[in-house]
């Protein structure tokens, strides 16, 4: 997965656990794609200070994911739902073997329930 996308997902799930200052700086870097220098000038701190803060935030968000696995579960469920959509599209095209498709969908549904 793209590093920026991964960091954005981690922020979406765990960003509220950061303090206000951390959230502002991290949002500017990851979501608004501002440079360290731009953020430093705006925040009145050094470029190195911004870099260190961003790294600490990334480490904290990754730590939350290691403990809670919410992003991992979200991506797995998203993949399973896509697979269900593919099965249904296949059925709409062929109109054949509904029992097999129902069994496949039930199997995927069971996987989703296990994830939750």
């Amino acid at each position: 997965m793209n590093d920026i996308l991964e960091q954005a997902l981690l922020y979406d799930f765990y960003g509220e656990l950061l303090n206000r200052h951390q959230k502002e700086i991290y949002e500017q870097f990851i979501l608004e794609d501002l440079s360290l220098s731009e953020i430093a000038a705006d925040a009145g701190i050094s470029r190195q200070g911004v870099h260190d803060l961003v790294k600490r935030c990334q480490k904290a968000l990754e730590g939350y994911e290691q403990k809670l696995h919410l992003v991992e579960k979200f991506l797995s469920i998203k993949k399973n739902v896509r697979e269900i959509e593919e099965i249904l599209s296949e059925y709409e095209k062929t109109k054949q073997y509904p029992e097999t498709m129902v069994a496949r969908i039930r199997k995927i549904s069971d996987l989703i329930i296990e994830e939750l």
Side-chain angles (χ1 to χ4, degrees):
M1 179 180 355
N2 178 330
D3 189 48
I4 297 295
L5 176 60
E6 182 179 345
Q7 293 303 319
L9 277 172
L10 289 172
Y11 181 77
D12 285 346
F13 279 85
Y14 306 113
E16 290 302 314
L17 299 174
L18 301 174
N19 68 41
R20 185 187 56 78
H21 180 67
Q22 290 173 322
K23 283 173 51 176
E24 287 174 8
I25 300 295
Y26 198 75
E27 282 178 7
Q28 290 176 352
F29 185 72
I30 295 297
L31 304 179
E32 298 173 25
D33 199 27
L34 296 178
S35 71
L36 296 174
S37 299
E38 291 171 316
I39 298 167
D42 185 51
I45 58 177
S46 70
R47 183 183 177 285
Q48 184 63 44
V50 173
H51 178 268
D52 292 345
L53 181 64
V54 168
K55 288 297 177 192
R56 279 195 309 272
C57 290
Q58 286 175 342
K59 190 170 184 162
L61 297 174
E62 290 166 359
Y64 296 136
E65 176 60 14
Q66 288 176 353
K67 292 175 184 161
L68 301 172
H69 306 285
L70 296 178
V71 174
E72 179 185 331
K73 289 177 185 177
F74 168 76
L75 293 174
S76 177
I77 290 169
K78 188 175 177 181
K79 176 184 159 278
N80 287 328
V81 169
R82 276 197 198 115
E83 191 172 335
I84 289 172
E85 289 173 355
E86 289 173 13
I87 292 168
L88 293 173
S89 293
E90 182 182 318
Y91 173 72
E92 289 173 341
K93 290 177 186 172
T94 64
K95 301 286 187 202
Q96 296 177 4
Y97 310 113
E99 296 83 19
T100 304
M101 291 181 183
V102 168
R104 288 170 59 195
I105 290 172
R106 282 206 173 107
K107 182 178 177 183
I108 295 167
S109 174
D110 289 342
L111 289 173
I112 292 171
I113 290 170
E114 285 178 30
E115 286 286 334
L116 299 175

